[in-house]
Amino acid sequence: MSDPMIGRRALLRGAGGLAALAALPSLSACGTGTSRVSSGSNKGGGKTVVVRDSGGSYGAALQKAIYTPFTQETGIQVKVLNLDDAPLLAQIKQGRPQCDLINNSMMSHLKYLGQNALEMLDHDRIKSIKSAKIPEAQVTDHAIGSSFYGQCIAYRTDAFGGRKPESWADFFDTKGFKGGRAMCSPDGDLPELEFALLADGVPMDKLYPLDVDRAFKVLTRLRGDIKKFWDSGPLPGVLLSRQEVTMSTVWDGRVADLEKQGVPVTRQLNGMRRQFQGYAIAKDAANVDNAYRLMDFSLRAESQANLAKAFPSNPSSPLAYARLTEDERNALAGAPKYYDKGF
């Protein structure tokens, strides 16, 4: 990559602007196929539903824990679409969305809402909101939070002579912890301004409102060391596996599969940013009824627990954790022992 720098304007544009950044605390807990196959119905009388997710190991886990059991229970076939926000939003604006149900970050749902791209939800049609005790803060008029993911540090365990990075200050210290870095593109997620501030000594409970000028000054320190700005969940793992970088920001669940494969990588959860993932229905979706049914199924406590067993997803339902063994719970960033490590 000849010029890895992403400037202030691009970062803020990718996040939906300062308004989206200001909205972050109220949307978080403290914190992408196939072509569409028409069901032949208007609002859900057929046996198909199309869901957008981010694919990769997460998509495979959704297939195993959610989509296949849903089809077995209902007879409704689930078609999967891996599509980024921009083309999907363009489809919705044209009144021809390729998907019905959207699995995305709650912040992305906020951006969709700003463009009138989501259906208003009828909460009475989603029984699992109450039965799974979904937190009130994650139940909105247009999206329901199903889980959270932690944005954190991933690093090669063989890169630093046995030393382990413990903080964002270590991530920004390329003299003490040598090697290239990778960080998130504004097309992939929110700007990682909080991490820069934490590296500069700002306490977690003093992050908001964000000191944007200070954050960009700190980010400038890494300008020559950032080898790639990633825009998809699997990419940090690829970069670390190929030894193109020694450290990267990452969605915490993406590290687990690499560790299972024997790749010498692990995560550091100190200073983790918790962000909620959830479900929304695309405006003018062809299969609204089936979208409601899949959303309701996905939000069940047992469904969230099954997903957490297949992929380190952190359930929004407190009842889901009771369905996990102690070892399964402690493998998650959502385990109680990790709560104070993030924001």
Side-chain angles (χ1 to χ4, degrees), residues 35-55:
S35 299
R36 179 160 189 169
V37 178
S38 173
S39 67
S41 67
N42 183 26
K43 288 295 179 181
K47 287 293 185 179
T48 300
V49 61
V50 185
V51 59
R52 179 270 177 205
D53 68 44
S54 58

Side-chain angles (χ1 to χ4, degrees), residues 70 73 101 123-132 279 290-301 303:
F70 173 77
E73 179 176 301
L101 190 64
H123 293 167
D124 290 338
R125 301 180 68 178
I126 313 169
K127 306 301 182 184
S128 53
I129 291 176
K130 292 183 178 180
S131 65
Y279 291 98
N290 294 343
Y292 269 110
R293 294 185 69 179
L294 180 54
M295 185 190 298
D296 186 54
F297 184 93
S298 300
L299 290 170
R300 293 176 185 175
S303 296

Side-chain angles (χ1 to χ4, degrees), residues 108-126:
S108 288
H109 289 318
L110 181 65
K111 290 193 280 185
Y112 278 58
L113 180 59
Q115 299 193 43
N116 193 32
L118 301 178
E119 294 280 347
M120 172 80 79
L121 295 177
D122 180 353
H123 293 167
D124 290 338
R125 301 180 68 178
I126 313 169

Side-chain angles (χ1 to χ4, degrees), residues 95-281:
R96 300 174 59 187
Q98 281 192 301
C99 73
D100 307 302
L101 190 64
I102 305 173
N103 181 337
N104 212 338
S105 72
M106 294 295 274
M107 184 58 76
S108 288
H109 289 318
L110 181 65
K111 290 193 280 185
Y112 278 58
L113 180 59
Q115 299 193 43
N116 193 32
L118 301 178
E119 294 280 347
M120 172 80 79
L121 295 177
D122 180 353
H123 293 167
D124 290 338
R125 301 180 68 178
I126 313 169
K127 306 301 182 184
S128 53
I129 291 176
K130 292 183 178 180
S131 65
K133 297 186 178 181
I134 306 299
E136 185 177 338
Q138 300 307 319
V139 180
T140 75
D141 289 340
H142 296 84
I144 310 295
S146 58
S147 63
F148 78 81
Y149 58 97
Q151 194 121 338
C152 63
I153 297 170
Y155 65 94
R156 288 193 63 93
T157 57
D158 59 356
F160 310 119
R163 298 178 63 209
K164 300 178 181 180
E166 299 289 346
S167 66
W168 288 106
D170 292 339
F171 184 92
F172 279 74
D173 180 10
T174 56
K175 293 182 179 179
F177 293 88
K178 297 184 182 298
R181 303 292 194 260
M183 296 187 74
C184 188
S185 158
D187 293 324
D189 207 333
L190 290 170
E192 296 172 327
L193 303 182
E194 295 97 334
F195 305 152
L197 293 173
L198 290 171
D200 205 39
V202 177
M204 282 194 296
D205 62 352
K206 302 294 183 184
L207 282 171
Y208 302 102
L210 295 175
D211 186 336
V212 176
D213 290 336
R214 181 175 177 180
F216 273 96
K217 287 181 181 178
V218 180
L219 283 169
T220 301
R221 299 177 195 167
L222 281 183
R223 181 177 295 171
D225 297 295
I226 299 177
K227 305 305 179 184
K228 182 73 175 179
F229 281 94
W230 57 269
D231 58 3
S232 66
L235 189 51
V238 172
L239 297 170
L240 288 162
S241 297
R242 294 177 178 173
Q243 302 189 56
E244 295 183 32
V245 299
T246 58
M247 272 198 259
S248 177
T249 59
V250 70
W251 297 329
D252 74 281
R254 298 289 182 167
V255 181
D257 278 349
L258 293 176
E259 291 184 281
K260 290 177 182 178
Q261 295 165 23
V263 180
V265 297
T266 194
R267 68 189 183 185
Q268 171 54 259
L269 295 178
N270 287 333
M272 166 182 60
R273 182 173 70 188
R274 293 186 280 261
Q275 295 169 239
F276 268 81
Q277 185 95 359
Y279 291 98
I281 298 177

